[in-house]
């Protein structure tokens, strides 16, 4: 069949279109486009069906696994597809690795090296309180865990992320990492009481373990190649809250802050929690819309979104 | 009932805009008069009262946007007013040593001309329902010169105030304390300077787009 490729402005993107097998899949189309236009590898392509002009509907995005036939509206011999360049892409693994590497390396710098001399502090500048040492272990364990999960647990669907997100995300993680590390390891740091410290780190560790288990559950919802699409998560905390993984992550940071008590740490907690809440609202909404109980699909059960009893 | 509220709104906004207009007119008048008679070192002292009043009144505009009295989005008025208040109170009022600098003159003149045009424009629209096309042209064209002069003055004044900021320790919170919190006004000023680097071209581009929209719309009418 003949596939005509147009840009969003209507201009013909590949002159003369492409000729493909009648049984070809969208992935085959992506390969064919890549062959003709070296620059646009498949993860950079966003292919949609044309939307009638004036219509306010969101365009249908072509799924790489489906056959092109599925998108032919009656006319089996030709198909018009709209192409958009998503810009240079990186895999989620690459993105996550670099954004987590920063905090893992920067924090120990503030602990082990006399950096505070550069901020004008003279004399004894290295950390002396036990809580500062435990905070170092806790923090580094957290980001080490995240990196391990990135490579061995998380199952990413075909998804990639724009290259610009590398700079944006690294700026976020690395800046906050340095900001918090500066205060916890500061020569004039004031520790909290012993009991509060133990409660904070203890609670945080339990939440980190719970968070790990949540990630295992989410991983098992998908096949090893990332297939499976959206499923209703079940078991453990997912029975009560949709984004139990975010919940445990937020509470884990709360534990860290109860133990270390810095303004910087709490700012990070609030910002991270609001970012995750945005994600959770979108995910919950998406799952409820998908699992509406019609056409044999299960109905999405009543659950908290992210932070019982608030949301 | 609804039209009585609309009338009240128009009355309030007319009074607001014309009063602040008078404030900025005073600033410009006194600035030029003092510049001619005594020199740039004395400009701040001459304009201080109307400047502080007129600039601080702009906080009301955030309120106006929040309660829906005017259409401008809070997201664009907030950074603009924020930077003005920072310069007015956080630099000029807080650090008297900088007040004699020549950039104070270029600053208040740039601000005053811009605001005189802006407030009289809105004052006209609220009171009389229209503004002449030359007024619209002025509002969307003078920024082409006054934004660069104003922004350069702002950046320059912050930069030249840095030594005084560092020496005075004003607005600084030091450790140790229970919340392990610190704030250094000097480093905050450096960060503020940093924000001008991407912020200024972004704002200028935004104004250029606004200009294109406003002037082409008026051509069509």
């Amino acid at each position: 069949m003949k596939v005509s490729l147009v840009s969003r402005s209507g201009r013909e993107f590949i002159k003369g279109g492409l000729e493909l097998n009648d049984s070809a899949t969208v992935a085959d189309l992506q390969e064919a486009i890549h062959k003709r236009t070296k620059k646009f590898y498949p993860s950079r392509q966003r292919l949609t069906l044309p939307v009638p002009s004036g219509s306010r509907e969101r365009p249908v995005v072509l799924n790489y696994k489906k056959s092109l036939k599925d998108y032919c509206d009656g006319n089996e011999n030709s198909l018009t597809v709209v192409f958009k360049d998503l810009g240079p892409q990186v895999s989620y693994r690459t993105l996550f690795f670099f954004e987590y590497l920063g905090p893992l390396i920067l924090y120990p710098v503030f602990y082990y090296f006399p950096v505070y001399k550069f901020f004008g502090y003279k004399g004894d500048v290295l950390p002396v309180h036990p809580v500062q040492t435990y905070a170092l272990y806790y923090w580094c364990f957290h980001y080490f865990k995240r990196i391990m999960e990135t490579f061995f647990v998380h199952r990413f669907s075909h998804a990639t992320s724009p290259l610009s997100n590398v700079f944006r995300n690294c700026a976020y993680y690395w800046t906050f990492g340095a900001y918090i590390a500066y205060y916890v390891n500061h020569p004039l740091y004031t520790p909290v009481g012993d009991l509060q410290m133990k409660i904070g780190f203890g609670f945080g560790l339990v939440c980190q373990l719970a968070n790990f288990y949540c990630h295992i559950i989410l991983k098992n919802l998908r096949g090893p190649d990332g297939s499976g699409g959206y499923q209703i998560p079940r078991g453990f905390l997912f029975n009560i809250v949709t984004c139990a993984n975010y919940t445990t992550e937020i509470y884990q940071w709360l534990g860290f802050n109860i133990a270390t008590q810095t303004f910087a740490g709490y700012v990070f907690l609030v910002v991270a929690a609001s970012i995750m809440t945005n994600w959770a609202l979108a995910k919950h909404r998406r799952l409820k819309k998908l699992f509406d109980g019609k056409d044999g699909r299960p109905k999405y059960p009543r659950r908290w979104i992210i932070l019982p009893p608030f949301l | 009932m609804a039209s009585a509220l609309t009338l009240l709104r128009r009355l309030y906004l007319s009074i607001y805009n014309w009063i602040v207009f008078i404030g900025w007119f005073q600033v410009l008048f006194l600035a030029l008069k003092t510049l001619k008679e005594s020199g740039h070192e004395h400009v701040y002292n001459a304009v201080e009262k109307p400047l502080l009043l007129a600039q601080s009144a702009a906080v009301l505009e955030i309120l106006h946007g929040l309660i829906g009295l005017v259409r401008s989005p809070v997201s664009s008025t907030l950074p603009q007013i924020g930077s003005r208040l920072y310069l007015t109170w956080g630099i000029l009022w807080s650090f008297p040593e900088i007040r004699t600098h020549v950039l104070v003159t270029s600053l208040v003149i740039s601000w005053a001309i811009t605001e005189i045009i802006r407030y009289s424009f809105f004052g006209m629209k609220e009171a009389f329902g229209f503004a002449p096309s030359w007024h619209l042209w002025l509002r969307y064209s003078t920024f082409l010169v006054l934004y660069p002069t104003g922004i350069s003055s702002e950046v320059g004044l912050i930069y030249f105030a840095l030594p005084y900021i560092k020496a005075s320790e004003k607005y600084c919170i030091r450790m140790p304390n229970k919340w392990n919190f610190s704030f250094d006004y000097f480093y905050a000023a450096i960060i503020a300077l940093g924000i001008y680097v991407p912020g200024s071209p972004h704002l200028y581009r935004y104004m250029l787009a606004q200009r294109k929209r406003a002037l082409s719309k008026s051509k069509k009418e």
Side-chain angles (χ1 to χ4, degrees), chain B residues 118-133:
Chain B
R118 196 166 76 91
Y119 283 106
S120 60
F121 179 79
F122 285 124
M124 288 285 285
K125 289 200 86 175
E126 293 300 343
F128 304 115
F130 80 100
S133 59

Side-chain angles (χ1 to χ4, degrees), chain A residues 152-155 212-224 227-229 231-234 238:
Chain A
F152 299 114
V153 177
H154 295 316
R155 283 197 174 143
F212 178 70
Y213 188 50
C214 287
H215 287 156
I216 299 283
I217 292 179
L218 288 174
K219 154 187 167 265
N220 289 328
L221 292 178
R222 283 189 174 155
S227 63
Q231 311 282 343
I232 300 179
R234 291 188 203 279
F238 286 104

Side-chain angles (χ1 to χ4, degrees), chain B residues 179-194:
Chain B
W179 285 101
N180 292 302
F181 172 67
S182 75
F183 180 74
D184 188 305
Y185 198 64
F186 175 75
Y187 287 119
I190 305 261
I191 292 177
L193 283 177

Side-chain angles (χ1 to χ4, degrees), chain A residues 147-164:
Chain A
I147 292 181
M148 289 294 107
E149 286 171 338
T150 302
F151 286 112
F152 299 114
V153 177
H154 295 316
R155 283 197 174 143
F156 302 100
S157 59
H158 238 218
T160 55
S161 196
L163 179 65
S164 52

Side-chain angles (χ1 to χ4, degrees), chain A residues 81-292:
Chain A
V81 170
V82 181
F83 170 91
K84 178 185 168 180
D85 175 24
L86 293 172
Q89 300 283 306
V90 299
S91 69
Y92 268 118
R93 282 215 171 84
T94 311
L95 175 66
F96 284 8
F97 176 69
F98 281 107
E99 64 189 31
Y100 299 153
L101 193 66
L104 188 59
I105 297 198
L106 285 170
Y107 191 106
V109 169
F110 284 87
Y111 181 88
Y112 286 112
F113 295 102
V115 296
Y116 297 93
K117 288 201 158 62
F118 296 110
F119 291 104
Y121 290 93
K122 315 213 184 328
D124 275 324
V125 291
L126 289 179
V128 293
H129 306 286
V131 63
Q132 291 171 309
T133 308
Y134 302 139
L136 171 77
Y137 295 159
Y138 185 98
W139 176 276
C140 291
F141 169 72
H142 179 74
Y143 281 101
F144 176 72
K145 164 181 167 287
R146 285 222 205 177
I147 292 181
M148 289 294 107
E149 286 171 338
T150 302
F151 286 112
F152 299 114
V153 177
H154 295 316
R155 283 197 174 143
F156 302 100
S157 59
H158 238 218
T160 55
S161 196
L163 179 65
S164 52
N165 277 357
V166 174
F167 302 108
R168 180 194 71 171
N169 291 15
C170 284
Y172 169 77
Y173 277 103
W174 295 22
T175 308
F176 263 120
Y179 183 51
I180 296 171
Y182 173 85
Y183 283 102
V184 181
N185 299 297
H186 200 279
L188 297 175
Y189 174 76
T190 308
V192 298
D194 205 53
L195 181 62
Q196 184 173 334
M197 175 192 78
K198 291 191 171 113
I199 291 176
F201 284 135
F203 176 64
L205 264 166
V206 167
C207 291
Q208 287 211 63
L209 291 169
N211 175 263
F212 178 70
Y213 188 50
C214 287
H215 287 156
I216 299 283
I217 292 179
L218 288 174
K219 154 187 167 265
N220 289 328
L221 292 178
R222 283 189 174 155
D225 59 348
S227 63
Y230 294 111
Q231 311 282 343
I232 300 179
R234 291 188 203 279
F236 193 49
L237 295 170
F238 286 104
N239 289 334
I240 1 171
V241 61
T242 298
C243 293
N245 49 324
Y246 297 151
T247 312
T248 46
E249 177 69 13
I250 292 171
Y251 281 128
Q252 169 282 127
W253 280 126
L254 180 62
F256 177 82
N257 280 316
I258 289 173
T260 53
Q261 195 156 301
T262 64
F263 176 75
Y266 276 106
V267 171
F268 178 59
L269 173 66
V270 168
V271 175
S274 44
I275 292 176
M276 283 187 261
T277 301
N278 266 339
W279 293 342
L281 288 169
K283 177 156 191 201
H284 187 91
R285 207 178 302 134
R286 202 186 309 135
L287 287 173
K288 281 198 82 163
K289 193 161 168 231
L290 197 56
F291 296 105
D292 49 12

Side-chain angles (χ1 to χ4, degrees), chain A residues 8-57:
Chain A
R8 277 170 307 155
S9 56
R11 202 177 39 92
E12 211 190 358
F13 178 66
I14 289 185
K15 271 214 180 54
L18 292 167
E19 196 56 56
L20 281 116
N21 239 320
D22 279 357
S23 57
T25 60
V26 173
D28 296 328
L29 174 61
Q30 287 180 319
E31 276 305 308
I33 296 174
H34 180 33
K35 258 214 181 82
R36 276 286 286 271
T37 60
K38 293 252 175 351
K39 187 160 107 151
F40 300 119
Y41 41 87
S43 53
R44 232 175 123 153
Q45 304 170 15
R46 179 179 155 86
L47 302 174
T48 53
L49 289 179
V51 174
S53 66
S55 157
R56 305 277 302 270
E57 282 175 33

Side-chain angles (χ1 to χ4, degrees), chain B residues 9 13 44 48 65 82 93 102 104 118 124 129-130 140 148 156 169 176 178 181 189 207-208 219:
Chain B
R9 174 189 163 276
L13 285 174
Y44 179 83
E48 183 178 33
W93 180 83
V102 66
V104 174
R118 196 166 76 91
M124 288 285 285
F130 80 100
Y140 283 104
E169 293 266 309
K178 196 169 94 147
F181 172 67
M207 285 304 292
L208 283 171
K219 265 210 185 74

